[in-house]
Amino acid sequence: MARHGWESVGRRWRLAALLGGIAAALALLVGLPGGPPGGPPGTSAAPRGTVRASVGWGFTHTQFSADEGAPAATARVRGLLKADGGPAQDQAIMGWGADNPEPSPGHYDFAALDRRIAFVRASGGTPVITLCCAPDWMKGGKSGAEHTDWSRSALETAPDPGHYRDFADLAATVARRYPDVRHFLVWNEFKGFWDEAANRWDYEGYTDLYNLVYRALKRTGEDVLVGGPYLPMDSVAPTDPEASPRLRGDWGAMDQRVLDAFSYWNAHKAGADFTVVDGATYPDGGSPRPDEFTATDKLTAVSAWVRRQTHDLPLWWAEYYVEPGDAGWSEPHRVAVQATGLIALVRGGAGSGFYWNPEKRTGPTCPGCLWTPTDRADGGRPLPMYGLLSRFAAAFPPGTRYRAVPVDPAAGPGLRVLASDRTVLVVNTRDRPAVARVDGGRLTLRPYEVRWLDR
């Protein structure tokens, strides 16, 4: 699957994103086979209680984030997030800023993960943990932090079947360490589960791993919620031999092998509190590529399909991508397409989603980032994408009742609209001004303008 390779444009498996700070001098090694009995020192766990399966619209921490940097900049981001209600924040247990969590059997290094979870707590966010990736000794490598292989081939390798239970034990250790984390995603994009010989996903292997992890997590607490399969919902050109004959549209066609993998997991899973998928709006290869706004219709179609298969189980998009790596868009264009993608997710029935924040360590520009790099005291300032995401999360939280809004037909298909009882979001998808009546008022919109209206 070419899109999941190391050199994939616009995707997250870049070498810089996987060098997870392996300096042993900073490691916090915990030698308890069952893991520590509670959270890390200096933290307090929220009391357990009823937990909702949907967490709303948030973002994922990647290799560089605001847990490190100049104190003034990191404090600025913490304050920004807290003032905006603390959006949900996802962090992986290995890679993307986290070190090898169990360098050798029964010996743990949670220093980097502790720091990330502490940041989420301090910023008032709902913490979410992605249970990926696996320590080297679980997949044929050597034990010990000094031997951790951060290369693509290593990080994209799934645990050996003989170590599935060890990975499930690690997942349970993580859950016990962070008792205020209630939402867990099992693995990431089926990494390491592609069967080259059979030319399909090894969905049997993933489901075996998922079921062991699910049961191990449930034993740690009745309010721990678990979701999967975190499957990449790849689409292809309609003429592709792997194209689904049924799930298709102007945006392309779903890869039937993906649908087969989802159906197997759905039929054989031990249980799930919510469903997790991810994917890009643009097809994997094929020509011509649909225009960027039409392409977002895939998010609606796939979301609706998943909800039908799972009998309306709450749906999360762990990652969603609307911008090909070669797009070169302006920031208003980028924000307009992202807003249209979020509208498409809601229309399909999704209730939670995480923006993959492409944060940089340093530099004067950061296209698509949520805030400026935090390496300098004047960093950590909100960027346009943060404005969109924070406003969307506040306006359309889980449980929102969406309303139809009258739109002047003369505006044509160039406007995308989403409304609740209190808020209307209007997006001009054209590269030219638009004039239209929306919800009884006359609007003049700039090219690619995103407009918020109070009702």
Side-chain angles (χ1 to χ4, degrees):
M1 305 295 282
R3 183 183 292 165
H4 307 293
W6 185 256
E7 299 297 337
S8 301
V9 178
R11 302 293 278 178
R12 50 264 176 230
W13 279 101
R14 297 184 177 93
L15 178 59
L18 294 173
L19 295 175
I22 57 175
L26 298 178
L28 174 64
L29 296 179
V30 182
L32 301 176
T43 66
S44 59
R48 292 195 179 276
T50 302
V51 182
R52 299 183 65 174
S54 294
V55 295
W57 308 95
F59 66 91
T60 296
H61 290 279
T62 54
Q63 176 62 26
F64 305 115
S65 197
D67 59 310
E68 294 185 294
T74 58
R76 184 173 293 115
V77 178
R78 285 197 306 272
L80 182 71
L81 293 169
K82 198 164 189 176
D84 287 329
Q89 301 169 44
D90 181 28
Q91 173 62 46
I93 63 170
M94 181 174 177
W96 303 285
D99 295 336
N100 187 337
E102 192 178 1
S104 57
H107 295 273
Y108 303 96
D109 176 4
F110 289 120
L113 189 57
D114 284 351
R115 187 178 65 244
R116 282 284 169 92
I117 297 301
F119 177 87
V120 179
R121 291 167 174 154
S123 62
T126 299
V128 175
I129 285 182
T130 292
L131 296 164
C132 183
C133 293
D136 291 41
W137 60 271
M138 295 186 189
K139 50 197 180 187
K142 296 179 180 179
S143 293
E146 70 277 12
H147 298 301
T148 297
D149 184 351
W150 294 100
S151 67
R152 172 191 66 179
S153 59
L155 266 292
E156 289 188 330
T157 299
D160 295 336
H163 286 294
Y164 284 177
R165 192 170 298 279
D166 292 319
F167 187 79
D169 290 343
L170 172 59
T173 297
V174 170
R176 287 192 296 268
R177 185 172 185 84
Y178 308 108
D180 55 335
V181 179
R182 316 292 177 78
H183 302 85
F184 293 88
L185 317 184
V186 181
W187 206 242
N188 173 300
E189 291 194 319
F190 268 45
K191 283 181 167 61
F193 286 100
W194 179 253
D195 186 334
E196 291 286 352
N199 190 35
R200 69 166 178 86
W201 292 109
D202 175 17
Y203 38 76
E204 299 95 341
Y206 170 81
T207 304
D208 288 344
L209 174 67
Y210 174 89
N211 286 342
L212 286 169
V213 172
Y214 176 88
R215 294 185 177 106
L217 288 173
K218 287 298 184 180
R219 286 193 291 270
T220 69
E222 61 183 14
D223 61 351
V224 169
L225 305 186
V226 186
Y230 204 150
L231 178 66
M233 304 303 284
D234 288 328
S235 54
V236 295
T239 55
D240 191 282
E242 304 295 347
S244 168
R246 290 177 295 279
L247 189 50
R248 55 174 56 214
D250 292 340
W251 45 268
M254 279 300 299
D255 188 322
Q256 184 60 46
R257 296 169 297 183
V258 172
L259 303 184
D260 292 343
F262 186 92
S263 297
Y264 181 90
W265 169 83
N266 192 38
H268 296 86
K269 64 183 183 299
D273 299 293
F274 52 92
T275 313
V276 185
V277 297
D278 89 314
T281 56
Y282 41 92
D284 188 6
S287 182
R289 181 190 291 166
D291 81 81
E292 61 270 29
F293 292 101
T294 298
T296 64
D297 293 339
K298 169 187 172 178
L299 301 177
T300 300
V302 172
S303 295
W305 181 86
V306 170
R307 294 267 288 169
R308 289 194 299 271
Q309 310 312 305
T310 59
H311 305 290
D312 291 335
L313 200 66
L315 173 60
W316 295 25
W317 282 74
E319 306 167 44
Y320 52 92
Y321 299 93
V322 300
E323 182 178 1
D326 58 356
W329 295 336
S330 66
E331 205 65 15
H333 190 170
R334 175 177 294 111
V335 171
V337 183
Q338 288 284 350
T340 304
L342 286 167
I343 291 172
L345 289 170
V346 167
R347 286 179 172 172
S352 302
F354 291 82
Y355 179 72
W356 189 272
N357 186 22
E359 192 66 27
K360 294 182 179 179
R361 180 193 294 274
T362 186
T365 61
C366 197
C369 295
L370 298 179
W371 51 77
T372 58
T374 57
D375 63 311
R376 301 167 61 94
D378 62 350
R381 299 187 184 277
L383 292 170
M385 195 61 64
Y386 179 82
L388 169 66
L389 186 65
S390 60
R391 187 78 181 266
F392 194 92
F396 305 117
T400 296
R401 297 182 66 181
Y402 294 97
R403 303 299 188 187
V405 172
V407 178
D408 182 359
L415 297 186
R416 300 291 178 100
V417 180
L418 183 68
S420 68
D421 290 330
R422 302 178 60 182
T423 306
V424 181
L425 170 61
V426 185
V427 182
N428 180 13
T429 67
R430 295 174 174 174
D431 60 358
R432 58 187 184 276
V435 178
R437 294 189 67 83
V438 177
D439 204 24
R442 186 176 184 273
L443 298 181
T444 300
L445 300 168
R446 298 186 302 275
Y448 299 131
E449 183 178 356
V450 175
R451 181 80 64 87
W452 294 90
L453 307 173
D454 294 327
R455 306 186 78 184

